Amino acid sequence: MRTTQTLLRSGLTVAATAALPLTLAAPAAVAWGSGISVSTSGTAVSVTTSACPSNGSSFGDASLLSSGQANFAQGRQMSLTGTSNNQSAAWTGVGPGTYTVIVVCQDGTTAGTQSIIVAPSAAPATPTISTTVSPSPSRGVMGGLGGAVKDYGTATVVGGAALVVTGTVAAAWFLRRRSKPHRL
């Protein structure tokens, strides 16, 4: 009976040890597609990234795909410009609709993909006095990884995962110690 308990405990320890690297690697995999930041202002769409190193002459290209386009080559392509720390591209005269922005670095790697909604521009109207004010969403729901409007960096996600792992280990230690008060 004592051998069974020892094997069970060591088996759980081995399983937890094997799962820890996978848990810590998961946030990095989730954050892979978020290497770009896309914004819109009226009929202009811009993208910024810091994921594309320069080969001396260029950083890479960005493509703006409308809903009917399926791959990078079909979109409106722009070369990335900027510095080694920050690259950007911009499109003007973009009509209302849903678009996908893809950034491909000069070495062929994809820095990120993000969807954006360009709202139709409202015609200027005469101001009216309103007694009720109700906020309305300006860009709709942002799709993608969790639908978040703000893109949290890898360090934030890894920090959160570390807190979850620490809490789990502390809870397991507390429950184990509580069930056997004569052990530390």
Side-chain angles (χ1 to χ4, degrees):
M1 177 125 190
R2 189 157 180 85
T3 305
T4 305
Q5 288 178 347
T6 304
L7 288 176
L8 178 63
R9 283 190 199 137
S10 63
L12 291 175
T13 303
V14 169
T17 305
L20 184 61
L22 296 175
T23 304
L24 294 177
V30 170
W32 173 79
S34 62
I36 65 173
S37 175
V38 181
S39 62
T40 181
S41 176
T43 61
V45 175
S46 63
V47 61
T48 59
T49 185
S50 59
C52 293
S54 174
N55 67 354
S57 62
S58 72
F59 294 102
D61 296 314
S63 183
L64 180 70
L65 282 69
S66 64
S67 59
Q69 296 171 327
N71 62 32
F72 186 86
Q74 293 176 337
R76 290 174 53 185
Q77 296 181 20
M78 296 291 290
S79 294
L80 292 173
T81 58
T83 64
S84 60
N85 295 330
N86 192 17
Q87 304 89 39
S88 64
W91 299 268
T92 57
V94 178
T98 302
Y99 295 90
T100 301
V101 176
I102 302 172
V103 175
V104 176
C105 299
Q106 52 82 19
D107 61 0
T109 60
T110 301
T113 301
Q114 186 173 338
S115 294
I116 191 163
I117 298 171
V118 176
S121 59
T126 57
T128 58
I129 299 174
S130 175
T131 57
T132 60
V133 178
S134 61
S136 61
S138 62
R139 298 189 314 176
V141 175
M142 298 295 290
L145 300 172
V149 175
K150 182 171 179 5
D151 182 22
Y152 293 100
T154 304
T156 304
V157 176
V158 169
L163 288 173
V164 169
V165 169
T166 303
T168 304
V169 169
W173 178 78
F174 174 79
L175 291 173
R176 182 171 182 251
R177 185 165 181 217
R178 186 173 148 197
S179 67
K180 299 188 189 228
H182 62 280
R183 303 181 101 183
L184 285 178

